[in-house]
Amino acid sequence: MKKLYGFLLLFVLALVLAACSSDSSGDGGDSDSGDGESADKKVEIFSWWTGAGEEDGLLALIDLFEKKHPDIKIENAAVAGGAGTNAKAVLATRMQGDDPPSTFQVHGGDELNEGWVAAGKMEPLNDFYEENGWMDKFPEELIDLVSKDGEIYSVPVDIHRGNVMFYNMKVFEENGIEVPKTFDEFFTAADKLQAAGIKPLALGDKEAWTATQIFENVLLGVLGPDDYKKLFEGEIGFDDARVKEAAEKFSKMLDYINDDHASRNWQDSAQLVADGEAAMINMGDWAKGYFSNDLNLETNKDFGYFEFPSTDGEFVVITDTFGLPKGIENPDDVKEFLKVLGSVEGQDAFNPLKGSIPARVDADKSKYDKYGQETMEDFKGARLVPSLAHGSAASEGFLTKVNQAVNIFVTQRDIDNFIKALQNAAPEM
Amino acid sequence: MAENTQTKRKKRFTKDQWTAIAFLIPSIILILVFVYGFIGWTGYVSLSNWNTLVPDFSFAGLKNYIYLFNDFRFQADLRNTLFFTILFIGFVIILGMGLAILIDQKLKGESIFRNIFLFPMALSFIVTGVVWQWLLNPSTGFNQFLSMFGIEPKWYTDTNILAGFEWGSIEFGLPVAIIAVVIAAVWQMTGFSLAMYLAGLRGIPDELREAARMDGASEFQVYRKVVLPMLLPITMSVIIIMAHISLKIFDLIYAMTGSGANFVTDVPGVYMFETTFRGNYYANGAAIAIIMLLLVAVFIVPYLWNSRKGDN
């Protein structure tokens, strides 16, 4: 019997130990990332880059860094799934528990500024930018996007464009359609396609952001870049007559979409364009990678692209950036990583693989394909505006509510209700 | 050894109790902290103003609850949950009982049928969701076959509300799209109720049926007057188990349809996830969690109450 008690005691002890040690190992593992007391230096990179091209890009970047700094080890802490939703949930938990990763992926704009910067969790990087002479290497409007109250908070690594229409060239040719530059031209072309039995516009809004993306581009087309920005800064109200006009145009565009839009995600809807069942799709230019890599279509032969109607010379920016969280133990090592990330070499290692263009204006063009080169050229001269659908123009809270309003609007088409929902959500911006 | 047995005999009861308590304490503590503690914490958060990334525990009263009950999406969620639950439980009971009765007819290869019906249960709802998403996709799946007969249901992309009328800010009625989800859920869970009913049927003594037949009851009457009443406790258990699955459903919807156009297939679980982890509305999310807990409690508490009385 004594044996049994001894055993039991051991068991309880083991449990207690396990509980404690899991605590401390948790701490240890986490402070590891911040490089606690361990002798070797470590930088933990937190992202949601686990897809085909993007992961290759990240690994190339890590490779480059480790060649330059063999003494610093990189820990790739990518969280898969949900287009970053899962990663963001993990990040939020870690930040709230004062256990930030060394550096993490965050979209430039309000996701950074109204999220982590407003929460007081980020270090300003102005001196770091000055040291590296970066102030004129990134476009001014892009630096604005990662700044709050004159302080810069992160380093952009890539640029995607949101106001692009991809189209099936064969379908356009067969129906004698010119690339539409204005809304009127778009609607005329759409009517013609509709009459020919082809769905003019493909949409897959199983996740609502795809529809929100169309709406934001219509807003940009109607308001122009300056007032578009003012709208999301709260200087223009959502009761503005032009917002209503945009909603009407948006509604009219929705008349031309495929019936089964609610059952498709964006890839499924891009497939419609690839198969020639639909003619056009508005999608960020990651769709280009999908067309050429996944569907083996040829750029400018099978599919083409043009700027969303009335947004010529404007560039809806979606940019992934990395910053320096407060409270990490080896900020200098992390800065070394950010330095590589912001260098021409780093950006040219990452972006061709991911299919995005570099955030710097002085990158090596020859490393990019034709679409990339053209977009880089546009990027230099264009007016840059933040994307709403990707969390740059307004807070995640506002975006969630807009997505809900858009989801309802796509079915109900009640413009007054829609405007009211936007107005109600506006304080969350 | 002899000494040991002696002490054991003397203090046997207390020692056993001791042992039992020692084994139970760790799990009791864990459950207290990680289940009840966190339920309490969620309730506390649901009454706070924490609707941004930065925690803000100032007291908000019932603000979050009031917001939810005025919210189009949440009203739609409650409507969807109601109809999903009714249809899902109804079909699972009818089909499960019907199949169990058929299998109980001592037919050949009974175990093969039983296993066939039970197999879907081995899958996770995610797998079921993905598969049925394709099967019921309006442009692929079953419709390729059905279109030969000129019928092309829109399944889960249908935004119609049957017998709908304005109520609150939504149209109240049966959302057609939810039927597609019900089909998938019923397909998966019928095997479970079949197994339970089969066990129930086997538990009914043959003498009872024999006696009824001797009294001149037709086969139909035997089932109606003898078998069905004897199956009532099973039906109760099936209802409880299915209700708490359907009230909490998340994975099936998330994998199969998402929120759906106009939120016709949205449920509180999906809303909670999105509003909390995408929108950072932590307090709103917590309020949804508490409402879901209360909904489940409506079913579970009377059941527990009942079985406790039964024990006494």
Side-chain angles (χ1 to χ4, degrees), chain A residues 5-26:
Chain A
Y5 276 117
F7 205 63
L8 215 76
L9 204 72
L10 257 176
F11 174 71
V12 172
L13 212 74
L15 258 183
V16 170
L17 270 178
C20 295
S21 73
S22 76
D23 260 359
S24 58
S25 81

Side-chain angles (χ1 to χ4, degrees), chain A residues 410-428:
Chain A
V410 170
T411 305
Q412 294 189 349
R413 306 292 181 82
D414 185 333
I415 287 171
D416 292 335
N417 235 341
F418 183 52
I419 301 281
K420 215 163 65 193
L422 293 177
Q423 270 178 300
N424 286 341
E428 316 274 348

Side-chain angles (χ1 to χ4, degrees), chain A residues 1-2 4-5 8 11-12 15 82 85-86 88-89 92 96 111 114-116 118-119 206-207 259-264 268 396-398 400-401 403-404 407-408 411-412 428, chain B residues 4 15 18-19 22-23 26 50 53-55 67 71-73 133 137-139 156-157 159 254-263 271 273-275 277-282:
Chain A
M1 225 28 228
K2 258 183 195 156
L4 182 66
Y5 276 117
L8 215 76
F11 174 71
V12 172
L15 258 183
T85 318
N86 296 350
K88 285 177 197 172
Q96 279 155 12
E111 189 179 314
E114 298 309 316
W116 301 120
K206 192 177 176 195
E207 289 170 87
D259 296 329
D260 60 352
H261 57 91
S263 69
R264 290 174 186 267
D268 298 335
E396 296 276 310
F398 178 72
T400 306
K401 291 199 171 165
N403 279 337
Q404 290 180 21
N407 185 353
I408 296 166
T411 305
Q412 294 189 349
E428 316 274 348
Chain B
N4 271 350
K15 256 186 196 166
W18 222 126
T19 319
F23 272 110
W50 185 11
L53 272 176
V54 193
Y67 170 79
D71 184 27
F72 176 90
R73 182 170 181 180
Q133 172 204 358
N137 186 308
S139 37
Y156 55 84
T157 63
T159 52
Y254 199 72
M256 186 172 165
T257 65
S259 301
N262 211 15
F263 297 114
Y271 188 14
F273 178 74
E274 285 187 354
T275 202
F277 295 115
R278 268 183 212 175
N280 301 319
Y281 294 107
Y282 289 87

Side-chain angles (χ1 to χ4, degrees), chain A residues 141-424:
Chain A
E141 281 183 304
L142 186 65
I143 293 185
D144 283 349
L145 207 58
V146 295
S147 307
K148 190 178 163 78
D149 305 326
E151 309 261 29
I152 306 171
Y153 285 98
S154 72
V155 180
V157 56
D158 63 4
I159 300 288
H160 276 295
R161 187 176 198 177
N163 58 327
V164 191
M165 279 276 200
F166 290 93
Y167 68 102
N168 186 314
M169 290 189 103
K170 210 178 281 165
V171 169
F172 264 42
E173 233 166 71
E174 278 166 9
N175 293 284
I177 293 189
E178 295 282 312
V179 165
K181 291 218 175 320
T182 63
F183 284 110
D184 288 335
E185 284 175 29
F186 175 84
F187 290 128
T188 319
D191 282 331
K192 213 166 161 186
L193 287 162
Q194 187 105 302
I198 293 161
K199 277 289 158 203
L201 190 61
L203 175 68
D205 67 345
K206 192 177 176 195
E207 289 170 87
W209 63 264
T210 52
T212 305
Q213 192 170 254
I214 298 181
F215 179 58
E216 81 181 357
N217 287 322
V218 178
L219 272 176
L220 176 62
V222 173
L223 289 162
D226 288 315
D227 285 356
Y228 174 91
K229 281 186 183 172
K230 277 186 192 156
L231 182 70
F232 292 114
E233 273 151 23
E235 288 167 36
I236 294 178
F238 283 95
D239 50 355
D240 191 283
R242 285 167 301 168
V243 177
K244 198 170 173 180
E245 188 194 330
E248 279 159 4
K249 286 208 161 74
F250 177 41
S251 176
K252 196 166 174 197
M253 283 190 142
L254 293 173
D255 289 338
Y256 296 107
I257 59 173
N258 44 303
D259 296 329
D260 60 352
H261 57 91
S263 69
R264 290 174 186 267
N265 57 26
W266 74 262
Q267 287 99 332
D268 298 335
S269 58
Q271 183 98 45
L272 284 177
V273 176
D275 296 345
E277 284 176 49
M280 297 174 266
I281 181 171
N282 165 227
M283 189 43 62
D285 56 12
W286 47 88
K288 196 231 127 211
Y290 181 69
F291 282 129
S292 49
N293 302 336
D294 297 277
L295 302 179
N296 290 318
L297 300 178
E298 212 173 304
T299 320
N300 286 329
K301 182 162 166 270
D302 298 317
F303 73 95
Y305 46 86
F306 57 90
E307 276 126 343
F308 196 90
S310 292
T311 65
D312 187 25
E314 289 144 25
F315 198 111
V316 176
V317 183
I318 296 127
T319 177
D320 290 304
T321 73
F322 285 80
L324 185 63
K326 277 187 182 158
I328 54 169
E329 302 205 5
N330 54 341
D332 291 334
D333 296 339
V334 179
K335 276 186 180 168
E336 286 304 321
F337 176 75
L338 294 179
K339 206 186 264 175
V340 173
L341 194 77
S343 68
V344 172
E345 213 183 342
Q347 304 223 331
D348 282 347
F350 176 79
N351 286 301
L353 290 170
K354 179 160 196 273
S356 43
I357 65 164
R360 285 177 72 116
V361 288
D362 56 350
D364 181 0
K365 265 189 169 180
S366 66
K367 294 213 160 101
Y368 297 84
D369 61 7
K370 186 148 176 303
Y371 174 83
Q373 289 174 358
E374 277 180 39
T375 312
M376 284 163 82
E377 203 50 51
D378 287 349
F379 179 63
K380 262 184 224 167
R383 290 296 312 274
L384 308 184
V385 297
S387 157
L388 166 68
H390 300 280
S392 296
S395 75
E396 296 276 310
F398 178 72
L399 172 60
T400 306
K401 291 199 171 165
V402 171
N403 279 337
Q404 290 180 21
V406 165
N407 185 353
I408 296 166
F409 182 71
V410 170
T411 305
Q412 294 189 349
R413 306 292 181 82
D414 185 333
I415 287 171
D416 292 335
N417 235 341
F418 183 52
I419 301 281
K420 215 163 65 193
L422 293 177
Q423 270 178 300
N424 286 341

